[in-house]
Amino acid sequence: MATAVDSFALLWRELCGSLSPYQEALALLGALCAGACGARALRALVGAARVHVGTRLPLLHLLAPPRSLAASHGAWAVVTGPTAGIGRAYARELARRGLGVVLVGRDAARLGTFAEELRGDFPVRTLEIVADFSRGPAAYGDIARALEGMDVGVLVNNVGVMPVVPGPFLTAGEEHLWELVNVNVAAAMLMTRLLLPGMLQRGRGAVVNISSGSCLRPVPYMAAYAATKAFVDSWSCALSRECSGSGVAVQTLIPFYVATRMTAPGRYLRRPWLFVPSAEEYARHAVATLGVARRTTGYWPHTLQMWFTQLMPEWLWAWLAMHINIHLWKP
Ligand SMILES: NC(=O)c1ccc[n+]([C@@H]2O[C@H](COP(=O)([O-])OP(=O)(O)OC[C@H]3O[C@@H](n4cnc5c(N)ncnc54)[C@H](OP(=O)(O)O)[C@@H]3O)[C@@H](O)[C@H]2O)c1
């Protein structure tokens, strides 16, 4: 040890002897920057291990058994867009964990079938609310009446739409642009406005807002969709800070590709694999991070993708995004 310290001191003296004060200052600055980068990388690694590994270690659960979601949050979960993909899988996962589930979607028949399936598979109560979020303000009267007085512990703002085929901004019709705003942006805010006051009053609960990996940087050929997801990310993170200390957790989920109906038109996205999980696999991982992380991809291979994305220069990301959107989505 002493030798190592002596050698370092010797090396430093030698270096300083051969460097001008200006170079010395630069070397020090370089060392500080490298140290800061190392510390940030270590923090990210430890954080990811806590969220993705710590939550799934059975040994930890034996030492400190997690409280049931119903006991810690409330008896009911409300899930928007639960008839397909991530919303459906998330609702199943919450029912498996003992929460009653309120399904808010636009297709009464599909809601009914899914509710019946949940009640058959798990000992839970369900409630269906028919609402088409693309109708804007008109959608919320019925929802508010149906949810009045319910002990809602978890709200999952999942509902979302994406252009069937990506393309230049001006190819999107006016109707689709309003749909993006009403379904991807307004639904999350207005559902939260409806249910957050009750959660704050009870001092417990969680709001889960589903954004997307496309929120991280501008995405040419999917400009408006990605912008709605950046909105959700920004709003949700700010809300999370506002609710800090209230007993209500606000979580932003940032999934990358998940094999669902939404991504089905894309080549290589139809069949699940490690980096494009099935909705069920994704939901299993994501629900485990509830109450542990304020902002997470919810799934460890997506966290690797997020790190890779953040390291990329903006021009490379834009170039890749554009080419992925042109080629990956060809039938
Ligand atoms: N899949 C991915 O790769 C991915 C990646 C990142 C983020 N996300 C986000 O994850 C969320 C779920 O995506 P997903 O892939 O599971 O989508 P999905 O398979 O297309 O399912 C969308 C759900 O939303 C419902 N919905 C759509 N428009 C609606 C409206 N106007 N009113 C009421 N319900 C409506 C659909 O109902 P119907 O069954 O009646 O159509 C369906 O239940 C979205 O917010 C999406 O942006 C997805």
Side-chain angles (χ1 to χ4, degrees):
M1 183 65 188
T3 317
V5 171
D6 287 351
S7 317
F8 179 75
L10 187 68
L11 181 66
W12 185 249
R13 268 201 308 276
E14 283 294 310
L15 271 176
C16 291
S18 62
L19 293 177
S20 68
Y22 173 66
Q23 288 170 319
E24 246 178 67
L26 278 184
L28 190 65
L29 195 66
L32 283 176
C33 286
C37 286
R40 271 180 62 187
L42 189 67
R43 193 163 161 252
L45 268 178
V46 172
R50 187 177 67 89
V51 172
H52 299 301
V53 184
T55 50
R56 300 175 70 79
L57 283 183
L59 186 66
L60 286 185
H61 292 174
L62 281 181
L63 292 175
R67 284 176 72 202
S68 83
L69 278 179
S72 57
H73 289 69
W76 289 93
V78 174
V79 183
T80 65
T83 44
I86 297 174
R88 182 184 165 88
Y90 208 107
R92 267 193 79 82
E93 194 56 30
L94 291 176
R96 192 178 71 78
R97 290 167 183 246
L99 287 182
V101 189
V102 182
L103 306 166
V104 191
R106 61 183 164 183
D107 186 323
R110 295 175 68 176
L111 287 175
T113 314
F114 183 40
E116 209 175 301
E117 180 189 311
L118 286 180
R119 288 194 306 271
D121 291 348
F122 311 104
V124 293
R125 291 176 295 168
T126 60
L127 176 72
E128 301 118 70
I129 303 177
V130 180
D132 182 346
F133 289 105
S134 68
R135 291 173 62 223
Y140 298 92
D142 289 347
I143 302 178
R145 275 186 289 280
L147 292 174
E148 208 176 334
M150 288 182 76
D151 177 18
V152 176
V154 181
L155 164 65
V156 186
N157 285 315
N158 161 79
V159 72
V161 286
M162 196 175 78
V164 179
V165 178
F169 172 70
L170 286 180
T171 59
E174 194 179 320
E175 200 179 322
H176 175 63
L177 295 180
W178 278 117
E179 188 187 17
L180 280 176
V181 171
N182 283 326
V183 179
N184 293 15
V185 173
M189 283 196 295
L190 289 158
M191 288 302 294
T192 303
R193 194 168 182 279
L194 203 61
L195 295 172
L196 185 58
M199 291 184 190
L200 291 173
Q201 216 167 37
R202 293 185 289 274
R204 58 178 162 77
V207 178
V208 180
N209 296 308
I210 305 203
S211 174
S212 153
S214 64
C215 77
L216 299 171
R217 299 274 179 87
V219 182
Y221 279 42
M222 222 185 267
Y225 171 80
T228 64
K229 293 298 170 181
F231 175 96
V232 171
D233 180 33
S234 167
W235 163 76
S236 177
C237 289
L239 189 65
S240 166
R241 296 285 168 193
E242 285 182 22
C243 292
S244 167
S246 68
V248 179
V250 178
Q251 184 189 49
T252 315
L253 274 184
I254 305 181
F256 279 62
Y257 286 126
V258 177
T260 67
R261 200 180 59 188
M262 185 179 270
T263 49
R267 282 191 287 182
Y268 316 115
L269 301 178
R270 286 171 204 142
R271 221 170 280 147
W273 60 291
L274 182 68
F275 285 99
V276 184
S278 66
E280 292 71 27
E281 177 75 0
Y282 177 75
R284 237 190 333 274
H285 282 76
V287 174
T289 70
L290 190 57
V292 181
R294 283 174 196 263
R295 183 177 187 260
T296 171
T297 64
Y299 176 62
W300 68 264
H302 285 181
T303 296
L304 297 182
Q305 279 174 272
M306 180 149 119
W307 287 344
F308 186 63
T309 302
Q310 284 167 332
L311 287 175
M312 243 185 243
E314 177 104 16
W315 65 265
L316 180 59
W317 160 270
W319 184 85
L320 271 177
M322 197 136 115
H323 283 80
I324 286 175
N325 282 334
I326 292 170
H327 298 294
L328 196 67
W329 293 88
K330 274 189 190 153

